[in-house]
Amino acid sequence: MTRNLKLTIEYDGTHYHGWQRQKADATVQEAIETALFTMTRKPVTLIGSGRTDAGVHARGQIANFRTDSRIDPRSFQKGLNSLLNDDIAIQDCSEGPPDFHARYDAIAKTYQYRILNRTIPTAIDRHFSWHIRCPLDVTAMQTAMKHIIGRHDFKSFEGGGSNKPNTVREVKATTICEGNNGIVVLEIKADGFLRYMVRNITGTLVDVGTGKLSPDAIPGILEGRDRALASPTAPPQGLFLMSVEY
């Protein structure tokens, strides 16, 4: 009997070339599929909720795989965690409905981007934040971010090389908050994301925070549907896939 198992995965993407399996580079999907083969002795295809790029992290990536193994979910979780490197951790493993599909059944995802806004850099968290030395006007960034809430064409915030026929997405919620020691955290929840969309929005918001752009420039950037209108892409290490909703 074929079973459909659902995984919740946390990973530090620093040393991986993203989620999706590739021919030559190490990826998170490949690492977990290799561990699953060791446990089941059969090739397993792992279906993720979506790709994350090289250097991007996840707190709550969701994936599913089909198997005829009789190993129970708890033993799969323990076994995988014993086989995987310390930068990947299976947070949960459970029996999923027969027709569950981690990618196609997702209705919303939440991404978080972390900025370290202070003059002094960080050694420990350098792989988990974007260090910006000049002060950011977080209030202006909050004003600008309100313009992306709702259903819009995000073509201007789509990364190069992507050929999505439909670039309309609905942003359901956004937040920006300041924490201790100069940390600024941006969070965006949407029904889907284009390639580099969060990082391109973040780069544009940082230009608002430094005074290079007005908060009211965002509607014009959206309406222009031209990547050249938005700011440079924020680096990958500050980005986290936090959760996926079904």
Side-chain angles (χ1 to χ4, degrees):
M1 177 180 174
T2 301
R3 302 153 64 204
N4 191 15
L5 295 184
K6 175 185 175 184
L7 302 178
T8 302
I9 309 160
E10 177 181 289
Y11 53 85
D12 171 356
T14 303
H15 302 297
Y16 295 94
H17 204 75
W19 164 266
Q20 188 174 31
R21 177 184 280 272
Q22 300 186 22
K23 290 183 179 180
D25 299 301
T27 67
V28 178
Q29 180 186 17
E30 178 191 20
I32 300 173
E33 287 179 345
T34 300
L36 285 168
F37 178 81
T38 299
M39 293 187 70
T40 65
R41 307 314 302 172
K42 291 184 179 181
V44 174
T45 299
L46 191 64
I47 300 169
S49 69
R51 304 176 185 181
T52 53
D53 301 314
V56 174
H57 320 291
R59 293 281 190 185
Q61 171 71 287
I62 303 296
N64 72 288
F65 66 95
R66 298 183 186 280
T67 181
D68 56 10
S69 169
R70 295 184 179 181
I71 300 172
D72 65 87
R74 176 61 177 162
S75 296
F76 259 120
Q77 181 184 18
K78 292 176 66 176
L80 289 172
N81 283 333
S82 70
L83 292 167
L84 292 164
N85 291 333
D86 290 343
D87 49 12
I88 303 176
I90 308 302
Q91 296 298 316
D92 186 63
C93 178
S94 61
E95 299 280 355
D99 60 348
F100 174 73
H101 194 287
R103 179 183 175 189
Y104 295 139
D105 291 349
I107 60 172
K109 297 176 186 177
T110 299
Y111 278 91
Q112 185 182 95
Y113 197 98
R114 297 172 63 84
I115 295 169
L116 180 67
N117 188 212
R118 68 185 194 193
T119 57
I120 306 300
T122 174
I124 294 174
D125 291 331
R126 69 191 185 282
H127 297 308
F128 308 107
S129 60
W130 179 15
H131 182 210
I132 298 176
R133 291 175 171 82
C134 60
L136 294 174
D137 184 343
V138 175
T139 299
M141 294 169 70
Q142 289 170 335
T143 300
M145 206 171 191
K146 292 176 182 177
H147 291 298
I148 71 168
I149 296 175
R151 194 165 186 82
H152 303 285
D153 189 332
F154 284 93
K155 181 68 176 177
S156 293
F157 294 103
E158 181 183 36
S162 179
N163 296 309
K164 293 278 188 183
N166 178 16
T167 52
V168 174
R169 299 291 185 272
E170 182 180 0
V171 172
K172 298 175 179 291
T174 64
T175 60
I176 303 182
C177 60
E178 295 181 88
N180 296 326
N181 298 318
I183 287 292
V184 177
V185 179
L186 294 73
E187 200 161 272
I188 302 177
K189 176 181 176 180
D191 63 357
F193 291 88
L194 303 170
R195 186 184 187 195
Y196 298 165
M197 178 173 155
V198 178
R199 291 166 58 192
N200 290 336
I201 289 173
T202 299
T204 304
L205 291 174
V206 164
D207 275 355
V208 170
T210 58
K212 293 179 182 178
L213 284 176
S214 163
D216 295 328
I218 303 301
I221 294 173
L222 286 167
E223 291 168 9
R225 301 186 71 254
D226 183 350
R227 176 68 187 93
L229 297 174
S231 302
T233 307
Q237 72 271 12
L239 185 60
F240 294 77
L241 171 58
M242 299 300 290
S243 62
V244 185
E245 296 179 22
Y246 294 92

